[in-house]
Amino acid sequence: MSSTGDYEAVRKDIVAQLKKPDYDDGSAGPVFVRLAWHASGTYDVASDTGGSNGAGMRYEAEGGDPANAGLQHGRAFLEPVKAAHPWITYSDLWTLAGVTAIAEMGGPSIPWKPGRTDLVDDSKVPPRGRLPDGAQGADHLRFIFYRMGFNDQEIVALSGGHNLGRTHADRSGFSGPWVNNPTRFSNQFFKLLLRLTWTKKTMPNGVEQFVYNDPDAEADDEQLMMLPTDIALIHDPSFRSWVEKYAEDKDLFFDHFSKVFAKLIELGVRRDESGAVVNTDNVKGGYISAPQKSPVATGPAKKPRARL
């Protein structure tokens, strides 16, 4: 076991968990990023509720949200790290795993600060329905992200996270990867969004997504896909201007993504002048690390509506 506060040791053990030959495209990196994203994206600026502090996904009220289907795998992949470093909170572990995975997959370095505490009950778990629905359009994106305190530029930058990972029919209803190399962080998502012709396709489950019909593809080749919320980025003038900038300038995208992801994982986290977190767990206060959970993936396997 590492010494309390040895976050570099935790980082190294997170890196050791990234390679997963039997999971998706051979990497747990994308699901770690999604875990950090969904743990943080419940924040509501008006009520100052939700966010990464507390790790509410440990409770059925949040973890069982259909929008979080599949994230039980990411949480289970991190249990060996929690076992090796029981002093770390889940809320710090999940956010650290996200920024570590991004860097290891070729993305930008993202500022990260520790100190989040774990809730001891579900009384502060935010209500369901705060995460994006991938079947919607530009108005929905603004409704969801403005609620968190983001602007149009930040919405597009965060959408660049779709350079990583893939969708699953048994989780979101959508199926397929966004880009050719879904375990390498880049600005390809924006380039493909602008340069390829995207055709609407109704999946066997009734969900509509957009696909690229590659004329040179073999019969068993997997199609690249885009969500309706992705396509909305190129039809809305304000969003499109940033898509074009990021497609053209990888360094600009990396810089903006680093800043907005750092902002995302700090939503709802209150710190004093020294940087120490002053949020409490509602019972004990201070840096409370929740007991280790099972290393076996448990959680919602399917979801009734399509979400990111």
Side-chain angles (χ1 to χ4, degrees):
M1 184 178 74
S2 62
S3 301
T4 300
D6 187 355
Y7 295 102
E8 186 55 37
V10 179
R11 284 181 188 270
K12 290 179 180 178
D13 282 353
I14 290 171
V15 172
Q17 290 296 321
L18 290 176
K19 189 175 181 180
K20 299 290 180 200
D22 299 326
Y23 181 78
D24 278 2
D25 299 287
S27 173
V31 77
F32 286 172
V33 176
R34 182 170 172 250
L35 176 61
W37 203 120
H38 279 222
S40 307
T42 58
Y43 184 67
D44 176 75
V45 68
S47 62
D48 191 28
T49 58
S52 65
N53 193 73
M57 214 180 296
R58 294 177 295 113
Y59 299 101
E60 173 62 20
E62 184 175 340
D65 187 338
N68 289 324
L71 289 178
Q72 66 270 23
H73 297 288
R75 298 194 299 270
F77 289 153
L78 288 171
E79 284 304 323
V81 183
K82 174 65 171 176
H85 314 279
W87 52 266
I88 193 170
T89 61
Y90 278 102
S91 44
D92 272 351
L93 176 60
W94 294 349
T95 52
L96 180 57
V99 301
T100 298
I102 289 167
E104 290 295 315
M105 290 187 288
S109 174
I110 298 174
W112 178 87
K113 294 182 288 186
R116 297 164 188 80
T117 195
D118 288 342
L119 300 176
V120 298
D121 58 46
D122 63 1
S123 63
K124 286 189 176 182
V125 171
R128 297 181 180 185
R130 290 187 176 184
L131 294 166
D133 182 343
Q136 303 299 317
D139 289 346
H140 172 75
L141 285 175
R142 289 194 171 95
F143 173 77
I144 293 293
F145 285 91
Y146 283 10
R147 187 208 72 231
M148 289 185 266
F150 292 116
N151 59 33
D152 285 2
Q153 172 263 312
E154 292 170 317
I155 292 172
V156 179
L158 276 175
S159 297
H162 288 170
N163 280 283
L164 299 173
R166 60 173 54 242
T167 57
H168 303 78
D170 62 347
R171 300 178 192 177
S172 65
F174 302 111
S175 181
W178 286 272
V179 302
N180 303 102
N181 187 347
T183 62
R184 186 71 179 172
F185 198 82
S186 69
N187 64 338
Q188 189 187 31
F189 167 75
F190 299 112
K191 291 181 178 181
L192 297 181
L193 192 54
L194 290 172
R195 297 174 185 175
L196 300 185
T197 299
W198 298 98
T199 303
K200 184 180 291 187
K201 177 180 180 179
T202 301
M203 306 298 288
N205 56 15
V207 171
E208 291 185 341
Q209 64 182 46
F210 290 81
V211 298
Y212 170 55
N213 294 309
D214 185 350
D216 299 319
E218 300 293 335
D220 58 349
D221 285 352
E222 190 173 34
Q223 285 183 310
L224 296 179
M225 60 79 63
M226 291 285 170
L227 304 173
T229 45
D230 299 323
I231 298 300
L233 298 178
I234 57 174
H235 290 303
D236 181 276
S238 176
F239 288 154
R240 185 184 177 100
S241 67
W242 287 106
V243 172
E244 292 172 345
K245 289 182 175 70
Y246 295 149
E248 183 68 25
D249 191 336
K250 176 182 173 181
D251 291 338
L252 178 68
F253 167 55
F254 274 35
D255 176 59
H256 285 186
F257 185 86
S258 175
K259 292 174 180 174
V260 74
F261 202 86
K263 176 179 175 179
L264 172 69
I265 59 177
E266 281 287 305
L267 293 177
V269 180
R270 296 188 296 276
R271 299 181 184 273
D272 62 20
E273 293 181 357
S274 70
V277 174
V278 297
N279 304 68
T280 69
D281 68 348
N282 189 22
V283 176
K284 300 177 181 178
Y287 192 79
I288 305 299
S289 175
Q292 184 187 357
K293 296 180 76 67
S294 171
V296 178
T298 58
K302 296 182 180 181
K303 53 202 307 188
R305 293 197 60 193
R307 292 186 180 273
L308 299 186

